[in-house]
Amino acid sequence: DWPDCCSMNATFVDGASPCNDTRWVQKWQSWQSSRPLRRTSLSLGSGFWHATGRHSSRRLLRAIPRHVAQILQADVLWQMGHTGSGVKVAVFDTGLSEKHPHFKNVKERTNWTNEKTLDDGLGHGTFVAGVIASMRECQGFAPDSELHIFRVFTNNQVSYTSWFLDAFNYAILKKIDVLNLSIGGPDFMDHPFVDKVWELTANKVIMVSAIGNDGPLYGTLNNPADQMDVIGVGGIDFEDNIARFSSRGMTTWELPGGYGRVKPDIVTYGSGVRGSGLKEGCRSLSGTSVASPVVAGAVTLLASTVLNRELVNPASMKQALIASARRLPGVNMFEQGHGKLDLLRAYQILNSYKPQASLSPSYIDLTECPYMWPYCSQPIYYGGMPTIVNVTILNGMGVTGRIVDKPIWQPYLPQNGDYVDVAVSYSPVLWPWAGYLAVSISVAKKAASWEGIAQGHVMVTVASPAENDSAIGGEMTSTVKLPVKVKIVPTPPRSKRILWDQYHNLRYPPGYFPRDNLRMKNDPLDWNGDHIHTNFRDMYQHLRSMGYFVEVLGAPITCFDASQYGTLLMVDSEEEYFPEEITKLRRDIDNGLSLIIFSDWYNTSVMRKVKFYDENTRQWWMPDTGGANVPALNDLISVWGMAFSDGLYEGDFTMADHDMYYASGCSIARFPEDGIVIAQTLKDQGLEVLKQETAVVENVPVLGLYQTPSEGGGRIALYGDSNCIDDSHRQKDCFWLLDALLQYTSYSMAPPSLTHSKNRVVPPTGTDRPLPQRLEGNHLYRYSKVLEAHLGDPKPRPLPACPHLSWAKPQPLNETAPSNLWKHQKLLSVDMDKVVLPNVRPYRPQVRPLSPGESGAWDIPGGIMPGRYNQEVGQTIPMFAFLGAMVVLSFFVVQLTKAKSKPKRRKPRVKRPLYLQQQQPQTPHSGKNPTV
């Protein structure tokens, strides 16, 4: 898990640790960590994992041993003679004991920690290595592969970036083929680490990494699994449901100006999987830590099946995995990526593969739900913010490549493609093995009142230097087509359109932006992106269900036409504001735009209290804002006589007959006298944090509604806490309140339940205490898009130009578009029919005989392999049984007839040695199977 305070080895300054205390500890301390921002194990549990089934549903699962390699039919490839031999696989984890009975080909064990041992003291690294390469009991995928064990975690689960960098360098030196990282963390801006990952893949190391155990929350991808060149793996259970713990996409580093990429790449079994125990035997574990070595083992096995190993590289392997993956029904792409690992189909694709470029996703269909969520959840219309789809280009031709000329937009005229405008930006260089293709989609003016489906495609040609071409400047090229299909509706009325301010949301990394709910001490960082498709997903879904259209502003407030929108929604804003933004917003609200602000806590004394010491950087980390940047928000709304306070409150209360929970929110310090203010009785959490004292405060102003005085002016609503609409730690949602506020801002309908509430109070004047001030010496300017450093206080930068899209010149096609974009797409030059799989029953090579009393546990009840065959074969068994019985009956009738017409003759039987039976080659037409 990322990261609970125990797994981070966090120690509280005065020695008290709340790690195992489920009660609220009435004590707040600054805390230190060996690296709170570091990568942590991605098995579930206290320390490293929880007991299997912690996140399971309430129904009983079949209690049969789950040998994951057998379920994914690795035994078919074993029978063909492929067992991973010749492939070097590295496990970066907690080490491995020297004489573990499950492993026969451990080439090298190295220790990169400050502990003087090579052995695994926890069992995590042993389990991971077992899933990949165990040769007995709980069999791994590639028992004959070369295992290289890198111990990069101590027994206290501590690691440093520097240890990883040294170990990565050694992996490059040893020419490792496949590297498994069942670890992760949110720091995608740990540049030395990320650069070294790129260097590894550039050296043809296929990196497989777990995407994290922070689900079901969206925007929780861990690094390095979120990298384009790394195979990011999510988890499913044995009933093909996405595991609750499995992190969800999108990637968040492209925010606020862009949009995240599709991750995970692929999902596989990660719940209740059996693997090697610490010293011997097997155990079952859950987590994306488990799913990652399943794919790493499969990749190792697949690499050993390819005769021309030069064709195997990080891009071609990922292309084969995602092109062969089985899509799970009813699951979106940010949960399942391209679908469930299919080992045998991947084998067929890889063994007929020709170097080429491909796209992930391979098409854009804004009408296909639920797979294309969130794109499919809202149609596009003229005047809306462009829809950005961030496509990954995978280049199997070489580690470096480029896009030839420019991508071409070709609309299908019979499918109204000319109603769509497309702009494309892309990586100038594709390295290592990958790059991005950002497709911005907008509606042409002539479709402002039109409704229907429009289609076209983007053509991209990728070129790579030909490695073995003697001709000077020789290049390989590959052209790929990206089909685009969108649903267009007439532009909605202004009152139905909401603009979400993404530009002023900041998150970790790079700076320390603390959680909005201070009770969540085991998750101190605000790192989920604060986007409507990540940790505000439920709120977005609710607004869509209420008929609102929600768009995202990824640029300054100066960059949108306020006359198009009913309400600007600002939630949990940490960024500062340009003076020009403040001026424009005041003018917009005078002209009819409405504003809703959900703020959060801000108190400089509390900010100093929640600092921590990071041993990795040898620095104290101080928050750069509170939960929100209240001083900046106050600058924005001061012209209307409004302000938030630096009070810090929490507690349960009832508002308009709804149960509410205020989680580390602030109060309203100042509000116009003709406004509506609702107050509640809450606990003073700031006093609790600073002095460990409890106090109840009555009449804390939490909600304010105001109609601006200018004719046709907009309305403003303030609420002091965002946790009730944030999925991260929400306890009680307040979507009803958001609905009521939008009724007020969009339609000027003040909700009677609030205007006539018994909790309505006289608006505060704010004269009794000073307004919050910015923390002296804060470093917000380091991470801000607005501030820049000066000798004195930081000053605003010059206002940046608004983003300008260069629309592609269309090259129309007068032909019909394909009807099914998903099945229409496949890798070029791949003829899977040429790669024949033998018709064999499940088989395991007996690499080593079992000891007396030891169970191989390979017998599956019912005689049918669990996994996908259960669903597909189950319904056809009765028919096959009937036909089989008829064939057997016919055979006996024929034999009986022959016996009556021929004299009996004895024929001497020749005994064949068992080893010959085992070694006899299997012919495609033979009905017999080798025996063990």
Side-chain angles (χ1 to χ4, degrees), residues 482-779:
L482 179 72
V484 177
K485 182 178 181 180
V486 299
K487 169 81 184 293
I488 297 174
V489 296
T491 304
R494 178 183 189 182
S495 59
K496 285 285 185 187
R497 293 177 64 179
I498 299 169
L499 190 61
W500 172 270
D501 178 17
Q502 187 68 41
Y503 188 78
H504 295 95
N505 286 333
L506 298 175
R507 44 89 177 94
Y508 171 84
Y512 174 18
F513 296 97
R515 266 285 179 228
D516 303 323
N517 183 351
L518 287 171
R519 288 269 182 239
M520 301 300 161
K521 300 192 331 188
N522 63 341
D523 199 0
L525 300 170
D526 188 350
W527 65 284
N528 304 131
D530 287 346
H531 190 277
I532 57 171
H533 300 151
T534 59
N535 52 309
F536 288 92
R537 175 180 184 265
D538 289 354
M539 179 210 72
Y540 166 74
Q541 296 281 72
H542 176 81
L543 291 176
R544 287 294 300 129
S545 71
M546 299 302 291
Y548 292 102
F549 292 82
V550 190
E551 300 171 40
V552 175
L553 177 65
I557 290 172
T558 50
C559 295
F560 78 97
D561 178 4
S563 66
Q564 299 290 312
Y565 300 93
T567 303
L568 175 64
L569 187 53
M570 306 182 81
V571 179
D572 185 25
S573 304
E574 294 93 357
E575 181 63 281
E576 295 283 336
Y577 298 89
F578 292 103
E580 296 90 340
E581 289 185 292
I582 296 173
T583 304
K584 178 177 184 285
L585 184 63
R586 290 170 180 173
R587 187 170 65 245
D588 289 343
I589 290 178
D590 285 344
N591 293 329
L593 177 71
S594 289
L595 173 67
I596 297 177
I597 297 178
F598 281 79
S599 183
D600 237 294
W601 70 272
Y602 187 96
N603 184 288
T604 53
S605 300
V606 172
M607 288 160 64
R608 290 188 183 94
K609 193 73 175 178
V610 295
K611 67 181 179 180
F612 62 77
Y613 184 72
D614 173 25
E615 288 184 7
N616 208 41
T617 58
R618 299 290 194 270
Q619 289 178 337
W620 281 96
W621 281 59
M622 184 86 74
D624 296 301
T625 69
N629 190 342
V630 166
L633 285 171
N634 286 348
D635 289 348
L636 194 69
I637 58 179
S638 62
V639 71
W640 295 287
M642 299 177 185
F644 290 105
S645 79
D646 64 356
L648 209 166
Y649 302 96
E650 74 138 1
D652 293 287
F653 59 91
T654 301
M655 183 188 290
D657 296 328
H658 290 87
D659 289 335
M660 301 281 284
Y661 176 63
Y662 213 65
S664 305
C666 67
S667 65
I668 295 172
R670 186 181 296 167
F671 209 73
E673 60 181 11
D674 53 341
I676 300 166
V677 173
I678 306 296
Q680 298 293 339
T681 299
L682 298 168
K683 285 187 285 187
D684 187 337
Q685 194 177 24
L687 191 67
E688 189 178 344
V689 172
L690 298 171
K691 299 182 178 178
Q692 290 79 52
E693 297 175 6
T694 304
V696 173
V697 184
E698 295 184 348
N699 293 327
V700 178
V702 295
L703 175 66
L705 306 176
Y706 180 62
Q707 169 68 61
T708 58
S710 58
E711 187 177 342
R715 287 153 293 283
I716 300 174
L718 307 182
Y719 188 67
D721 181 31
S722 68
N723 281 281
C724 60
I725 57 172
D726 184 342
D727 301 346
S728 298
H729 296 297
R730 187 179 65 240
Q731 296 184 27
K732 295 174 183 173
D733 76 67
C734 61
F735 298 147
W736 72 270
L737 177 61
L738 183 58
D739 290 343
L741 298 183
L742 285 168
Q743 283 290 314
Y744 177 67
T745 57
S746 295
Y747 301 103
S748 192
M749 295 168 58
S753 58
L754 297 177
T755 56
H756 298 102
S757 169
K758 66 179 188 302
N759 295 317
R760 183 171 175 177
V761 297
V762 176
T765 58
T767 55
D768 54 333
R769 58 189 292 182
L771 294 176
Q773 299 299 309
R774 289 168 177 83
L775 179 67
E776 195 173 332
N778 77 77
H779 296 141

